[in-house]
């Protein structure tokens, strides 16, 4: 089955990796935020789709054609095979397709309607082909049972039938809305995507050795995945428990424990490493760290060197306890590739996330 994934405009590369990892899709074509892929295994397709964070909508590809052949393709397609009582047809265009715009066309990036003169590719004219080929035709502009979407990409048209729409309210789970908030928490949408790109499935356990307020544990729990979280701070560990209870997450264990002393083995790990000066983990690792924090003249090289030593100890321990894969978030100013190599990890995917002027994050998937 060939599918069209409409990815959200943010984190497009992570969205592509999330689809590939969760649905085991290897062959795909990414054009801006449109991912066209061939799904070989349809088992648990809809269930896995509901886990996706960075995909807005999914369509089944009905046909593709050259733009000059669109009218004939619409006329000849067997619309009775997909019609479900009423329908609506919409046109989405990509960049550099202004000749195909209509007054009802929508920019897939901004989701805004574009004003343009009516052309032969108008939604009304193309919908007429569907109207004339089905029994008891009925148009429903809102909440149609049959939503037909035309994606116009350069000189090609991809026609899709909506099969899934993501209505997950990630904004309601943002860090400042939790009982125990913290400013360093990742956005819930990104946190879920990172859990998904780890490729974790049912009946497996997710481990976050620096769980903080529980962002990864919350998202994994909402997907029915068991989890274990460590945080060296008792305050953070207790706050994490409060957040998990608030979202009614079951099947989790949170411990006030040092990430350098991992005892049990775990299937998958997803974690956002502590970044340095204000880290409780670093304070426990280096006894004189409090002096360094007071001394603002500390050299950057010394700071990064101490942080990398701490990361190396952690990664070496994780390598021994990890059964399958991990997704790790590093600050960009450390030599994460060398650290992973020394710890005998292999990189499968990496992405640079710009946070602000002085900090970028490196999101890395390893095995």
């Amino acid at each position: 089955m060939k599918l069209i994934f409409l990815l959200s405009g943010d984190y497009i590369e992570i969205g592509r990796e999330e689809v590939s990892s969760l649905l085991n899709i290897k062959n795909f074509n990414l054009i801006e935020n449109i991912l066209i892929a061939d799904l070989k295994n349809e088992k648990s397709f809809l269930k896995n789709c509901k886990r996706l964070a960075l995909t807005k909508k999914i369509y089944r590809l009905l046909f593709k054609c050259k733009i000059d052949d669109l009218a004939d393709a619409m006329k000849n397609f067997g619309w009775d095979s997909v019609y479900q009582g009423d329908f609506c047809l919409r046109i989405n265009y990509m960049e550099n397709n202004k000749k195909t715009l209509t007054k009802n066309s929508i920019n897939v990036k901004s989701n805004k309607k574009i004003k343009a003169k009516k052309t032969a590719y108008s939604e009304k004219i193309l919908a007429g082909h569907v109207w004339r080929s089905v029994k008891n035709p009925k148009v429903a502009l809102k909440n149609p049972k049959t939503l037909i979407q035309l994606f116009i990409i350069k000189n090609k048209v991809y026609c899709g039938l909506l099969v899934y729409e993501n209505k997950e309210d990630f904004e309601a789970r943002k860090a400042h809305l939790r009982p125990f908030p913290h400013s360093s928490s990742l956005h819930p949408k990104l946190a879920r995507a990172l859990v998904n790109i780890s490729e974790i499935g049912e009946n497996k356990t997710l481990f976050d050795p620096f769980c903080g307020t529980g962002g990864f544990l919350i998202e994994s729990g909402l997907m029915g995945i068991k989890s274990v979280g460590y945080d060296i701070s008792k305050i953070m560990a207790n706050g994490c428990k409060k957040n998990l209870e608030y979202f009614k997450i079951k099947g989790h264990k949170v411990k006030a424990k040092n990430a350098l002393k991992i005892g049990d083995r775990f299937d998958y790990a997803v974690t956002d490493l502590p970044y340095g000066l204000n880290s409780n983990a670093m304070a426990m690792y280096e006894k004189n760290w409090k002096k360094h924090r007071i001394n603002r003249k500390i050299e950057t090289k010394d700071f990064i060197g101490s942080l990398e030593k701490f990361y190396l100890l952690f990664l070496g321990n994780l390598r021994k306890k990890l059964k399958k894969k991990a997704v790790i978030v590093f600050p960009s100013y450390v030599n994460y590739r060398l650290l992973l190599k020394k710890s005998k990890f292999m990189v499968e995917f990496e992405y640079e996330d710009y946070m602000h002027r002085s900090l970028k994050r490196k999101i890395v998937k390893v095995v």
Side-chain angles (χ1 to χ4, degrees):
M1 177 170 62
K2 290 200 172 182
L3 299 167
I4 302 171
F5 296 83
L6 179 60
L7 305 180
S8 57
D10 49 348
Y11 304 111
I12 291 176
E13 286 298 320
I14 297 179
R16 174 197 61 75
E17 182 66 20
E18 183 186 25
V19 171
S20 176
S21 299
L22 197 56
L23 300 179
N24 194 27
I25 294 176
K26 305 303 179 185
N27 298 318
F28 53 80
N29 184 20
L30 180 64
I31 307 171
E32 295 186 31
N33 64 324
I34 301 293
L35 181 70
I36 302 168
D38 191 2
L39 181 68
K40 298 296 184 182
N41 186 4
E42 298 182 28
K43 185 179 180 180
S44 303
F45 164 67
L46 187 58
K47 186 176 182 180
N48 285 331
C49 285
K50 292 178 180 179
R51 285 180 52 175
L52 290 169
L54 298 175
T55 295
K56 294 194 290 186
K57 296 179 181 180
I58 303 174
Y59 304 84
R60 178 160 64 88
L61 180 63
L62 301 181
F63 66 81
K64 64 179 181 179
C65 65
K66 293 182 179 179
I67 195 164
D68 293 336
D69 300 328
L70 178 56
D72 287 338
M74 291 292 299
K75 182 179 179 180
N76 296 328
F77 186 79
W79 294 108
D80 269 326
S81 63
V82 297
Y83 182 70
Q84 297 291 329
D86 59 43
F87 79 100
C88 180
L89 183 144
R90 294 298 187 198
I91 300 175
N92 279 10
Y93 75 96
M94 305 302 289
E95 295 291 331
N96 303 319
N97 283 103
K98 293 185 178 180
K99 71 174 183 178
T100 65
L101 298 185
T102 77
K103 63 180 180 180
N104 294 321
S105 290
I106 298 174
N107 185 317
V108 292
K109 278 192 169 183
S110 64
N111 203 31
K112 293 180 180 179
K113 289 189 176 181
I114 303 297
K115 294 181 180 179
K117 294 181 179 180
K118 193 172 182 180
T119 73
Y121 303 115
S122 74
E123 292 173 351
K124 183 178 180 180
I125 292 174
L126 293 172
H129 295 293
V130 182
W131 179 277
R132 290 186 291 272
S133 65
V134 300
K135 296 178 180 179
N136 303 317
K138 182 181 178 181
V139 172
L141 299 180
K142 292 184 178 180
N143 301 317
K145 296 176 183 177
T146 311
L147 179 58
I148 301 162
Q149 199 85 37
L150 298 175
F151 295 93
I152 300 177
I153 306 172
K154 294 185 178 180
N155 65 336
K156 293 183 179 180
V157 180
Y158 297 82
C159 178
L161 176 71
L162 182 68
V163 295
Y164 174 73
E165 182 174 5
N166 192 341
K167 296 182 179 180
E168 187 74 30
D169 187 6
F170 292 104
E171 297 299 313
R173 296 197 295 275
K174 290 181 73 172
H176 69 282
L177 299 175
R178 300 170 189 166
F180 187 80
H182 197 277
S183 60
S184 66
S185 299
L186 296 179
H187 192 286
K189 185 189 290 188
L190 179 58
R192 174 169 290 203
L194 299 192
V195 171
N196 285 333
I197 69 174
S198 74
E199 302 181 28
I200 188 169
E202 293 181 338
N203 304 317
K204 299 298 180 181
T205 302
L206 182 82
F207 175 51
D208 183 358
F210 303 99
C211 66
T213 59
F216 292 126
L217 307 190
I218 292 170
E219 294 306 316
S220 61
L222 291 171
M223 293 187 287
I225 298 169
K226 295 179 181 179
S227 61
V228 175
Y230 285 4
D231 200 286
I232 201 164
S233 166
K234 290 183 179 179
I235 295 174
M236 294 296 278
N238 290 333
C240 178
K241 291 177 184 178
K242 288 181 181 179
N243 289 339
L244 291 167
E245 290 170 3
Y246 178 79
F247 290 106
K248 300 179 181 179
I249 305 300
K250 298 180 180 180
H252 66 271
K253 294 180 181 179
V254 179
K255 302 177 182 180
K257 194 169 180 179
N258 191 336
L260 299 182
K261 298 179 180 179
I262 304 172
D264 300 324
R265 297 196 71 197
F266 298 95
D267 301 306
Y268 298 85
V270 181
T271 195
D272 187 4
L273 296 175
Y275 293 172
L277 288 175
N278 294 316
S279 165
N280 284 310
M282 276 297 298
M284 292 293 291
Y285 163 64
E286 188 168 319
K287 294 179 181 179
N288 295 324
W289 194 249
K290 288 184 178 179
K291 294 181 181 179
H292 291 322
R293 290 176 62 188
I294 295 172
N295 180 9
R296 295 302 178 183
K297 294 182 179 180
I298 178 176
E299 294 183 9
T300 301
K301 184 177 179 180
D302 292 339
F303 161 62
I304 294 176
S306 295
L307 194 62
E308 288 182 337
K309 288 178 183 177
F310 171 69
Y311 287 171
L312 191 59
L313 285 173
F314 162 70
L315 291 170
N317 194 12
L318 179 66
R319 175 69 281 175
K320 296 174 184 177
K321 302 299 182 179
L322 185 68
K323 295 179 183 179
K324 297 191 177 180
K325 298 187 179 184
V327 177
I328 306 171
V329 183
F330 292 87
S332 61
Y333 47 75
V334 301
N335 192 343
Y336 66 96
R337 289 180 182 172
L338 180 59
L339 294 174
L340 291 169
K341 184 178 180 180
K342 287 183 176 180
S343 305
K344 299 182 180 180
F345 280 107
M346 292 180 59
V347 175
E348 288 192 344
F349 169 80
E350 61 180 285
Y351 176 84
E352 184 175 81
D353 179 26
Y354 178 84
M355 295 179 65
H356 50 73
R357 185 176 63 181
S358 61
L359 181 61
K360 295 178 183 178
R361 291 184 293 217
K362 290 288 185 178
I363 297 170
V364 188
K365 176 180 174 180
V366 297
V367 62

